[in-house]
Amino acid sequence: MHPKRNIDWSRVYADGHPAPGGVEPRRRLRACLVGFALLAGVVFARAVQLEATQGPAFRREAARPLTRNRSLPGARGRILARDGSVLAEDKRIPALAVYYRYLQQPPHPTWLRSMARSRLSRAERKDPRRVAAAEDEVRRETRELASRLAELCGLTPQQWARRAAEVQARVQQIADGVNRRRREAFEARRAEATRPGPSWLDPWLGPERAR
């Protein structure tokens, strides 16, 4: 009777069936572990470098309380007299900004022609009828704009026209003053340029000639 033996069937199977060629699982696992160790080492080295170079700055930033600035609109308080009457207070007043040429009546010819030509192609600009039609379109748009603005401001068309005329007169007065000062400065520079300079004969001709 033969003694009883334990048989390693996995070894028997391995002897009869050789493993296919390729990388062994243990070698692959060791490669993964080495790669993970390298990545962990890089992360650890970076952490040590930050701690050594910028650690105090990071700790001060973390210890500082987080603040946020937010601007909230608030109405200023009123100033009252002893009897309770209001001396000063803030009120909302709508403001309107309009390009001056759209208020000018009649429209400035140069501006009107420039606006009309800007809407046409080069070939169309050579046709006087197309240019005239474009100018009529600009005039119609200025009238519609005046009507809408008067409605937004709560004014009648007559009140709007009167205020637009006041603005136009004030702007024209300012422009006239600026042009007058420029013209006077130009005339002064031209007179200075045409004034005869000193001559070497002035000492012998006397003070009258020098003047």
Side-chain angles (χ1 to χ4, degrees):
M1 185 176 181
H2 297 285
K4 187 176 181 180
R5 294 184 303 174
N6 293 328
I7 301 174
D8 189 356
W9 295 103
S10 60
R11 186 172 181 181
V12 173
Y13 179 82
D15 293 339
H17 300 81
V23 181
E24 297 181 359
R26 291 186 178 181
R27 184 179 300 176
R28 187 180 303 169
L29 180 60
R30 285 196 296 270
C32 292
L33 290 177
V34 171
F36 179 77
L38 291 176
L39 292 177
V42 171
V43 174
F44 181 74
R46 177 60 175 168
V48 172
Q49 187 263 336
L50 290 177
E51 175 64 25
T53 58
Q54 304 180 22
F58 286 150
R59 282 190 288 273
R60 286 195 302 269
E61 188 69 23
R64 188 168 56 184
L66 180 62
T67 59
R68 291 183 179 178
N69 297 328
R70 185 178 179 184
S71 299
L72 299 176
R76 297 177 59 184
R78 299 182 301 171
I79 300 177
L80 306 178
R82 179 178 295 180
D83 57 356
S85 59
V86 179
L87 298 178
E89 64 176 340
D90 288 345
K91 288 186 177 180
R92 283 184 171 271
I93 299 178
L96 180 65
V98 182
Y99 184 53
Y100 167 69
R101 295 299 183 185
Y102 286 99
L103 297 178
Q104 194 173 12
Q105 292 296 332
H108 194 275
T110 304
W111 174 79
L112 181 62
R113 189 172 185 83
S114 175
M115 290 292 295
R117 289 173 60 87
S118 65
R119 304 182 180 189
L120 302 175
S121 63
R122 291 187 176 181
E124 293 173 341
R125 293 172 189 173
K126 299 178 181 179
D127 189 351
R129 291 177 301 177
R130 287 185 176 272
V131 175
E135 291 181 357
D136 293 338
E137 183 70 16
V138 174
R139 291 191 186 93
R140 184 184 62 80
E141 290 179 359
T142 55
R143 290 193 298 268
E144 292 180 354
L145 177 62
S147 178
R148 292 198 303 269
L149 293 177
E151 183 179 356
L152 289 174
C153 296
L155 302 174
T156 63
Q158 293 77 14
Q159 291 174 334
W160 174 263
R162 185 170 60 253
R163 294 193 180 185
E166 293 175 357
V167 172
Q168 182 175 345
R170 190 158 56 247
V171 171
Q172 188 63 41
Q173 183 180 2
I174 295 173
D176 292 341
V178 172
N179 293 332
R180 185 179 63 257
R181 288 191 295 270
R182 287 181 177 178
R183 185 170 56 255
E184 292 174 354
F186 173 74
E187 294 293 342
R189 289 195 301 269
R190 186 170 65 175
E192 184 68 23
T194 56
R195 182 180 302 173
S199 174
W200 63 275
L201 295 175
D202 289 344
W204 287 273
L205 295 178
E208 294 297 333
R209 176 63 181 83
R211 286 198 297 269

